[in-house]
Amino acid sequence: MVLMGSELRPAVRELDAATTQDLLTHRRHLHAHPELSFKEDETARYISERLDAMGVDKLTRGAGGTGVVAEIRGDRPGRSVMVRADMDGLPITETADVPFRSTRAGVMHACGHDVHMAIALELARWLAGRRHELPGMVRFAFQPAEEQAGGAKAMIDAGVLDGIDRVVGLHVWSPLPTGQVAVPHGLVMASADMFTLTIRGKGGHGAQPHLTIDAVVIAAEVVTALQTLVSRETSPVAPVVITLGSVHGGTAANIVAGEVVIQGTLRTFDAELRRHLLTRIVEVAEGIAAAMRGSSEFRHDSGTPPVINDAAIAKLVSEAAGSVVGKEMVVPLEPLMVAEDFAYFLDARPGCFFMLGGAPEGPPVVHHTPEFRIDEQCLPIGFQVMSAAVLRLLQPD
Ligand SMILES: [Zn+2]
Ligand SMILES: [Zn+2]
């Protein structure tokens, strides 16, 4: 299949044992040395040293915190495409028995960001050796703190999207069999808002409730009422989740609590519904608290928009992926209720976020768990799909 007018072909035709070995070496090193969000100092050093050795055209360290940005400029005219790879691990202790197991207790690459970095690094090397045939410019954004959803915004504030026409990113996905790639043409993932409600009453003796304002009783009403925003105020065909995952208050059985702190998350696919429900969460909590003589204070801790692909760009990426893995291996994907801060890049530029199959052998594994593993066969596939996608997106059309 001919992907482009250029004589430059996707890496699939040139992938050799050395490239595959490089991918594994990067991935295993990064896997063994995971770091938490915004603390990716050694990771950034590993990446920037290698990019420097490749002779990239521009290398910026410390972008948006610990981020690393590198540019490779082709000798031919074309578009400017940004490839994003996230860098952070999670506060989890790995249980898998592999030689490259995390060397850091309590920190683990349990989402697969080590895979993303390895693919991006190797793609940078591959492109750096082909500037004479390369149309346009590719900027690599190694982004900190995806898991805390703060890194993408920090990098945008640092100017990572300046002069960029299109953005592309991938996520290795353990439920998807190796060899399959999912390129949604619209909705990929939900928005995610994290919030804290502080319910205040007046503490006192457990045997004299009439002299107190019981924050636990108010909180109980608030917790129940907030679920009605989903069941009674939202269309039954609109997917919404409100989860109140943490409720803390009180000190002893015979003391009325003066304060309860509720932490929750809101997930939806619709920007308007998201805004409406955030407002209603505040109104319902404040209204109930006031009716019961207390008060409620709302704090918005973080918010990520839904991940929505540009349909035209997704079509180009689908075709590129199909040229590598075969058309029938580019599969549909139901929108996921998880979130990704790649959403910020897609909010600002047309682009595509796709899922790379990486299901390991044996029992299924879930991202963000101590047992998380991936099938390393997905590395050369991901490299080839990403290189084909980038080459297609660089074309001026
Ligand atoms: Zn994750
Ligand atoms: Zn992730």
Side-chain angles (χ1 to χ4, degrees), residues 187-258:
L187 204 52
V188 187
M189 291 175 179
S191 64
D193 291 278
M194 307 289 178
F195 59 86
T196 303
L197 287 166
T198 304
I199 308 294
R200 294 197 179 90
K202 184 171 159 238
H205 198 294
Q208 298 175 311
H210 58 296
L211 302 178
T212 73
I213 299 169
D214 191 340
V216 166
V217 175
I218 300 173
E221 296 288 345
V222 169
V223 167
T224 309
L226 288 181
Q227 290 308 313
T228 67
L229 295 181
V230 182
S231 66
R232 302 291 86 186
E233 289 195 29
T234 303
S235 161
V237 294
V240 170
V241 173
I242 294 177
T243 290
L244 305 171
S246 162
V247 180
H248 281 93
T251 51
N254 58 353
I255 301 172
V256 170

Side-chain angles (χ1 to χ4, degrees), residues 303-384:
T304 308
V307 179
I308 302 170
N309 282 343
D310 180 282
I313 304 275
K315 187 168 176 286
L316 298 178
V317 173
S318 284
E319 287 165 7
S323 75
V324 174
V325 295
K327 226 171 156 186
E328 66 292 346
M329 296 296 265
V330 182
V331 296
L333 181 81
E334 289 274 300
L336 302 160
M337 266 294 166
V338 297
E340 238 288 348
D341 74 357
F342 193 78
Y344 286 103
F345 300 121
L346 288 174
D347 233 20
R349 294 289 184 279
C352 177
F353 191 66
F354 64 91
M355 312 302 272
L356 172 69
E361 292 207 346
V365 294
V366 177
H367 291 250
H368 291 208
T369 62
E371 304 82 32
F372 179 73
R373 291 169 293 121
I374 58 110
D375 177 3
E376 287 186 322
Q377 303 267 13
C378 75
L379 280 153
I381 297 168
F383 168 78
Q384 292 167 69

Side-chain angles (χ1 to χ4, degrees), residues 17-176:
T19 303
T20 305
Q21 188 52 52
D22 277 357
L23 285 163
L24 288 176
T25 304
H26 294 321
R27 190 261 161 164
R28 290 178 177 188
H29 175 89
L30 293 164
H31 190 87
H33 302 90
E35 293 174 295
L36 293 176
S37 305
F38 284 126
K39 294 181 179 148
E40 306 92 337
D41 298 301
E42 281 181 41
T43 306
R45 196 173 319 128
Y46 180 90
I47 287 165
S48 56
E49 279 172 5
R50 270 142 198 88
L51 290 168
D52 203 19
M54 289 168 203
V56 295
D57 295 304
K58 189 176 174 196
L59 182 61
T60 311
R61 298 175 175 88
T66 48
V68 179
V69 182
E71 275 181 25
I72 293 159
R73 298 181 194 134
D75 293 342
R76 302 168 45 157
R79 293 183 188 269
S80 296
V81 174
M82 189 193 85
V83 178
R84 179 270 219 158
D86 39 10
M87 301 161 75
D88 53 336
L90 285 154
I92 292 173
T93 298
E94 182 164 21
T95 54
D97 185 19
V98 288
F100 50 91
R101 181 162 60 170
S102 170
T103 56
R104 292 178 180 140
V107 190
M108 176 186 175
H109 269 299
C111 200
H113 300 181
D114 47 346
V115 172
H116 311 163
M117 289 186 279
I119 289 172
L121 258 185
E122 205 47 26
L123 180 57
R125 190 189 62 73
W126 189 79
L127 291 173
R130 286 160 180 81
R131 281 190 186 83
H132 55 289
E133 339 165 56
L134 187 69
M137 180 269 278
V138 182
R139 184 179 293 157
F140 288 88
F142 291 88
Q143 179 212 305
E146 190 287 318
E147 297 293 358
Q148 288 187 359
K153 213 163 174 304
M155 289 204 88
I156 291 171
D157 292 345
V160 77
L161 286 175
D162 295 353
I164 289 294
D165 303 318
R166 295 165 163 185
V167 295
V168 63
L170 64 77
H171 207 300
V172 62
W173 201 234
S174 69
L176 202 63

